[in-house]
Amino acid sequence: MKRLAADRAVVNLRRAYFECRYGQLHVRTSFPSTGGFDERTPLVCLHEGRGSSRAFGPFLATMGTDRSVYAADTPGCGESDSPPAQPTVADYAAAIGDLLGSLRLRRVDVLGYHEGSAIAAELAIRQPALVRKLVLAGVPVYTGTERDSFAARPYPQPPAVDGSHWLAEWRRRLAARGPGMSLEQLADDFADALHNGPNASWAVRAAYAWAAHDRLPLVGQPVLVLRPRDALWEPTLRAEPLLPTARWQDLGELGAGLFGVAPEVVAARVREFLDH
């Protein structure tokens, strides 16, 4: 068995494609060099709406020291095939269920980020025997006013000849940049959004249409809610009465991009919850 000087398992980082109902899903994986004999429950990570699994890169390397971790590009995002039409949150959850079936995983923990939290919760509701624990980093619990406001504006903005739609998206992301997030990290996230194209916004639209007030109380698994100070700072708080037994941790010192800015900090919180 290969070991680092600090007696930590060597982390293997890989990428692969797996089949789902919408075609192929691109997945980033990390796993320790221990042969699987002393690994913890596998962890599945689901990114925010217009992003991709790239957002979890540093986090994968940190969490992969003692368990297998799978971060999927949800359908229509990253390098995954797109659905033929606008999916619901339940549709996205079913596609992730296809992935877990392909991997032959019988029991997993699931971490969701923003729109990924809605997908993670829906997966847990629909497949309770498969999902052991949930970590929700930012939860999209929207008011009717917020839904109406989102529906009233085009997102993403349609292309403009002068490229002003790109500038508008850059300024939006710049305004939402979290503490410690470098311009290089922000540029990577921005490039992800451009690469994914207009259909990637379907995940955002699905989350706005998701009936969080009805669905979240149906989650029966242990839940950890992480609340970074980002765009879902207030919407996440609305999940508190809907998840009465959940553990809560405010991460007010962190914001957008937390999995790349402070992977060790986030991993420590996640690992403590999953392993105890």
Side-chain angles (χ1 to χ4, degrees):
M1 181 187 305
K2 295 189 295 183
R3 290 281 178 177
L4 295 173
D7 198 35
R8 295 181 63 190
V10 174
V11 177
N12 301 285
L13 300 173
R14 300 289 187 269
R15 291 189 288 172
Y17 285 90
F18 298 89
E19 296 297 322
C20 80
R21 64 195 60 204
Y22 300 123
Q24 290 193 314
L25 282 181
H26 175 250
V27 182
R28 286 178 165 83
T29 69
S30 66
F31 54 94
S33 60
T34 55
F37 297 108
D38 58 352
E39 289 186 33
R40 308 298 206 278
T41 302
L43 175 64
V44 178
C45 299
L46 304 175
H47 60 82
E48 64 178 329
R50 290 197 72 198
S52 78
S53 59
R54 288 180 60 187
F56 292 115
F59 180 76
L60 289 176
T62 304
M63 287 297 297
T65 57
D66 57 3
R67 74 201 69 213
S68 295
V69 187
Y70 302 88
D73 292 346
T74 51
C77 293
E79 303 301 325
S80 290
D81 290 338
S82 181
Q86 167 74 65
T88 64
V89 167
D91 292 332
Y92 284 113
I96 299 303
D98 294 341
L99 165 67
L100 301 182
S102 297
L103 291 168
R104 299 183 180 180
L105 296 175
R106 296 182 178 179
R107 196 76 163 151
V108 297
D109 297 323
V110 184
L111 181 154
Y113 181 38
H114 283 209
E115 289 79 14
S117 290
I119 298 169
E122 195 66 34
L123 179 65
I125 294 166
R126 292 173 177 271
Q127 299 199 47
L130 175 64
V131 179
R132 187 183 71 113
K133 290 186 177 183
L134 276 181
V135 179
L136 308 179
V139 189
V141 183
Y142 295 117
T143 65
T145 300
E146 288 168 341
R147 289 192 178 95
D148 292 343
S149 178
F150 176 78
R153 65 181 188 273
Y155 182 78
Q157 291 190 16
V161 173
D162 62 359
S164 56
H165 61 298
W166 289 338
L167 181 58
E169 178 65 15
W170 172 259
R171 286 174 172 167
R172 186 187 72 81
R173 289 175 177 270
L174 186 63
R177 179 169 60 150
M181 190 178 193
S182 68
L183 283 176
E184 289 76 14
Q185 289 172 310
L186 186 66
D188 282 345
D189 287 351
F190 179 63
D192 252 1
L194 297 184
H195 172 71
N196 290 340
N199 289 359
S201 66
W202 283 347
V204 181
R205 294 182 184 280
Y208 269 94
W210 186 57
H213 289 86
D214 296 328
R215 301 304 288 170
L216 284 175
L218 301 179
V219 174
Q221 294 87 341
V223 179
L224 170 65
V225 178
L226 299 177
R227 188 176 174 231
R229 193 177 294 277
D230 59 16
L232 291 190
W233 176 253
E234 291 301 327
T236 298
L237 191 60
R238 299 175 196 141
E240 191 166 20
L242 307 175
L243 296 167
T245 63
R247 291 174 54 181
W248 284 71
Q249 293 193 21
D250 283 357
L251 300 176
E253 73 282 7
L254 298 175
L258 71 163
F259 293 97
V261 171
E264 294 85 2
V265 172
V266 180
R269 307 290 182 94
V270 172
R271 182 175 277 111
E272 192 279 331
F273 169 69
L274 296 182
D275 296 349
H276 297 90

